[in-house]
Amino acid sequence: MAEFTMPSLGADMDEGTLLEWLVGAGDLVHKGDPVAVVETAKSTIEVECFETGTVARLLVEPGTTVPVGTPLALIGTTTEKPVEAPEEPEKAEKRNAKAEKRQAKAEKRRAAARTPKKGEPSKPPPAPSEPATVPAPVPSTARQGGHLEAGPLARHLAEQSGVDLETLHGSGPGGRVTRTDVEEAAAALVTSPPSRLRATPLARRLAAELGVDLTTVRGTGKHSAVRAEDVRRAAPGPAAEAPSAHAGAPTVRPAAERLPQDRGPAVRRAIAGLMSRANREIPHYYLSTTVDMGAAMDWLHEHNRRSPVGERLLPAALLLKAGALAAREVPELNGFWTDDHFTGGEGVHLGVAVSLRGGGLVAPALHHADTLALPQLMAALKDLVTRARTGRLRASEVSDATITVTNLGDQGVETVFGVIYPPQVALVGFGRLVDRPCAVDGLLGVRPVVTATLSADHRATDGAVGARYLTAVTRLLQNPEKL
């Protein structure tokens, strides 16, 4: 039986707070499934499972802060049964009493059906070969009082997909809604024309309570489904606390709902500690170059003219793709310095610095950015930035970056020299695209240019390696058809 532990989601993380479980004991999980929501000093992150099996037991309650490496849950194989807590005697007695009452009522109904009414001839008993039909007893897990049985993972998937659980007939034991039921319903929503607005049940209830018209709310869930957070943001006044999805579960506000000042000081302390460590331990060296972007901008304008609106690109996509391909060409800058030696990354996972609305920044990773086509990279970048600012990043996205890029051009900055994020060994900076007079083929003209910079770890590389990297970036941007 494997342990699911509090992961390390960055070099500056020593502990984390478990905000919410997305699964329950007995749920089947696969490798890569989000199973918990964890809050660090800088952001809120969905943590994936690294094992495939059945959740045997949840060891930590939501709202608890624990050090990195603390076991949070036990994950067993699919053949192992969940570790259940012993049932309290009082609950067992109540459950048995209810079962006896249901059985007694069923006996009375059968007796009443067999007794003829006054004035009616008695009917002969049925033949032995045709036994009387007895109504099927209602399973104990069926809906009672409007309650629907579904595990936390199924509810989470339903909320993301815009599936209304109340419309599903569960295929699990006693009518329990399973993950497969939700996925099939979500697939049906995609393949069939929508008959109504997609919104989670919790979003519909909140909209009714807060007086929000769902047709005016932009959904951020899967397939543009309206989630509870979208309704709260659209509410005219302060958002009311949402009712808990599970009875007795502690209410924890998501990161997107919290006021910026709630986390601002903690974010600044985390950044201060990490950057002080980086400046103290990493011997930086800095290089810069000016890149002629004339060919790149001509190619970009022509591409956008021929492409639909959804596939048009921004200059940032070209800069990121050039930075990723150059890292593949110069692998000495793509990796980590740990235990006094350099370890190369298994792929080019490009960390992108994203400023948060409440202050501070995170640098989630675009996995295998060197292999993404430009339209895919642009879409992935938009999605990553949106989720970073709404507290919906995955654990792998905040811990896998092999080299980081920061682009402050949209803030009007022409040159940026960054501080390396340990244990990485390099950080690339791009400034604002500006028009400058320069000589091209012996003629003086005005050309669009951008300043590219490199901050690198002198323990891992020397200036010659950094120069090769910036030369590769320049060559790629001047030949945009190769990106």
Side-chain angles (χ1 to χ4, degrees), residues 171-370:
S171 61
R176 182 184 179 91
V177 176
T178 65
R179 170 182 175 162
T180 303
D181 299 329
V182 177
E183 290 177 342
E184 290 177 353
L189 287 176
V190 177
T191 56
S192 61
S195 58
R196 59 173 180 165
L197 179 72
R198 291 176 181 168
T200 66
L202 179 57
R204 293 183 186 277
R205 289 198 296 271
L206 278 178
E209 294 172 3
L210 302 177
V212 175
D213 184 0
L214 284 178
T215 59
T216 64
V217 181
R218 180 178 177 274
T220 60
K222 194 172 182 180
H223 307 307
S224 300
V226 177
R227 303 177 64 181
E229 294 176 7
D230 304 325
V231 176
R232 295 189 187 99
R233 284 194 292 268
E241 288 295 327
S244 176
H246 304 282
T251 301
V252 182
R253 287 190 298 169
E257 295 180 47
R258 303 187 182 194
L259 297 175
Q261 57 266 31
D262 288 347
R263 194 186 291 168
V267 171
R268 294 316 319 171
R269 285 195 298 270
I271 294 175
L274 186 63
M275 293 299 98
S276 298
R277 169 190 163 190
N279 270 315
R280 183 173 62 250
E281 298 180 1
I282 300 176
H284 288 63
Y285 69 87
Y286 306 96
L287 302 174
S288 70
T289 188
T290 301
V291 182
D292 184 349
M293 293 288 288
M297 295 309 295
D298 290 343
W299 181 91
L300 186 66
H301 291 323
E302 181 63 20
H303 174 275
N304 288 344
R305 186 182 66 81
R306 292 183 285 102
S307 301
V309 175
E311 295 183 8
R312 292 177 184 174
L313 305 175
L314 295 176
L318 303 183
L319 299 176
L320 292 176
K321 185 63 181 291
L325 290 174
R328 187 171 69 185
E329 288 187 25
V330 188
E332 296 93 333
L333 293 173
N334 184 62
F336 313 98
W337 184 266
T338 53
D339 298 328
D340 292 329
H341 72 278
F342 174 75
T343 303
E346 296 181 356
V348 179
H349 305 320
L350 202 64
V352 181
V354 179
S355 61
L356 303 178
R357 293 189 179 96
L361 57 87
V362 292
L366 285 171
H367 290 105
H368 303 288
D370 58 320

Side-chain angles (χ1 to χ4, degrees), residues 64-96:
T64 306
T65 300
V66 296
V68 170
T70 301
L72 302 179
L74 298 177
I75 308 294
T77 62
T78 54
T79 58
E80 292 177 333
K81 295 182 179 180
V83 180
E84 298 180 353
E87 189 175 20
E88 296 180 6
E90 294 181 359
K91 292 184 178 180
E93 290 178 3
K94 290 181 180 179
R95 179 172 54 80
N96 293 336

